[in-house]
Amino acid sequence: SYISGNDNFTVLFIDPESLESQQCTINLNVMFIPHPPVTQDEHVSLLTYSTTTITLTVSDVDLIYNTPPELLTLRMESDSNLKGTLKRFDNSSLTDGTTISDGDYRFNYTSGYVDIDEQWTFEFVDNFGLSSGIHTVFIDVIYRDPPNTPPVLYNATFMGFEDNPLDFLLDSVYNDTEGPLSDILLYVRSLPQIGQLYVGNPPVSIAQAVSLPRKSSGSFNIKYISPPNWYGTVTFSIYSKDNLDAVSTADGYITLIIQPVNDLPSVL
């Protein structure tokens, strides 16, 4: 048994003639001998850019009777060199040497974008100074293609003059953090309320939802022609797709400001 403390029992002796001795008490003092906590290595696998929960298990026979009271402490030995992110289940941070005594041995590990084999070590120690020994959590991160982030569009403003075609480039209104910018496609979502957009030479009128062509330089060159003697402000919107067909989540709005020109007076 793992019970410690004092105990006793009584005995008497009987000889062959059936004479009995006085009853005697035998006192026992069962001394407590602490036992080390027991744990085990853990092996987990997960995909890149994902999160898994790791639960460390521990047992100690001294906790069954808890006499004298026992306290277990988890000591983190080497987790600061992980490429992924390791936090406690409650999202609190960890460092080498962190000790945990609240009984919650759950952790969240979040992988990065590369396949890698990682590991970190730990040990359990009781309040009698006995250790489980150093154990290891082995993590196998399995590669998968990263998620495709849609391209991003920006608003822009261009200025021109009455009765003059306005040429402008749309090269600064889009970005893609993953794919090559040369693969981005631009489309017109809505046309200007007044005037017309053109591309190419000779100029071809632009319609909605048609991919805009690039020049040989790779630029998106647009021409806006307003009605004669008109000036003011118009707006049109664009959207984009990347090489994996991800569509921009928000449209870009292009504002064209046509400034008036002082015309010469005419004689009738």
Side-chain angles (χ1 to χ4, degrees):
S1 167
Y2 295 103
I3 298 177
S4 61
N6 297 317
D7 204 352
N8 62 75
F9 62 94
T10 58
V11 299
L12 59 82
F13 296 92
I14 303 174
D15 65 14
E17 286 78 25
S18 299
L19 295 177
E20 297 181 356
S21 69
Q22 292 183 340
Q23 184 171 292
C24 298
T25 300
I26 306 298
N27 294 308
L28 301 175
N29 180 16
V30 181
M31 299 182 63
F32 171 73
I33 299 177
H35 299 76
V38 177
T39 186
Q40 63 185 14
D41 294 343
E42 299 290 342
H43 298 259
V44 297
S45 61
L46 72 162
L47 298 174
T48 50
Y49 59 92
S50 60
T51 299
T52 190
T53 298
I54 302 168
T55 302
L56 303 182
T57 59
V58 62
S59 63
D60 194 325
V61 295
D62 298 330
L63 289 172
I64 298 175
Y65 302 102
N66 207 34
T67 303
E70 182 172 68
L71 175 67
L72 291 180
T73 299
L74 170 62
R75 181 180 295 130
M76 308 293 289
E77 297 292 343
S78 61
D79 57 89
S80 61
N81 294 325
L82 293 174
K83 301 301 181 184
T85 301
L86 183 67
K87 292 187 176 183
R88 295 197 65 187
F89 194 73
D90 63 5
N91 209 37
S92 56
S93 299
L94 297 164
T95 60
D96 289 352
T98 294
T99 57
I100 299 171
S101 301
D102 60 9
D104 188 353
Y105 309 128
R106 296 173 299 167
F107 303 88
N108 283 336
Y109 172 84
T110 301
S111 59
Y113 287 85
V114 296
D115 56 327
I116 190 173
D117 291 328
E118 301 216 82
Q119 62 184 46
W120 51 280
T121 56
F122 65 94
E123 68 172 330
F124 284 94
V125 180
D126 64 20
N127 53 318
F128 304 109
L130 297 181
S131 169
S132 64
I134 303 297
H135 286 264
T136 304
V137 176
F138 298 93
I139 303 172
D140 180 20
V141 179
I142 302 169
Y143 179 81
R144 62 172 168 173
D145 290 334
N148 182 32
T149 302
V152 177
L153 292 175
Y154 309 106
N155 299 334
T157 299
F158 301 95
M159 302 185 70
F161 293 95
E162 172 190 349
D163 294 332
N164 289 275
L166 171 59
D167 286 284
F168 54 94
L169 299 177
L170 295 180
D171 297 344
S172 62
V173 301
Y174 59 91
N175 190 33
D176 192 348
T177 58
E178 297 166 349
L181 294 183
S182 59
D183 288 343
I184 293 295
L185 300 176
L186 290 185
Y187 299 82
V188 173
R189 176 87 68 185
S190 63
L191 294 168
Q193 303 89 333
I194 299 174
Q196 183 64 55
L197 298 175
Y198 296 88
V199 292
N201 188 19
V204 177
S205 177
I206 295 176
Q208 288 177 259
V210 174
S211 176
L212 299 178
R214 291 179 182 266
K215 295 179 63 177
S216 58
S217 62
S219 296
F220 290 105
N221 188 195
I222 310 297
K223 183 190 298 289
Y224 172 73
I225 298 179
S226 60
N229 300 317
W230 180 88
Y231 58 88
T233 299
V234 294
T235 301
F236 68 96
S237 62
I238 58 174
Y239 66 97
S240 63
K241 291 182 180 180
D242 64 14
N243 58 334
L244 296 177
D245 280 337
V247 179
S248 52
T249 57
D251 289 353
Y253 290 88
I254 311 302
T255 300
L256 306 178
I257 300 175
I258 305 302
Q259 302 178 82
V261 173
N262 187 19
D263 297 320
L264 293 175
S266 59
V267 178
L268 298 179

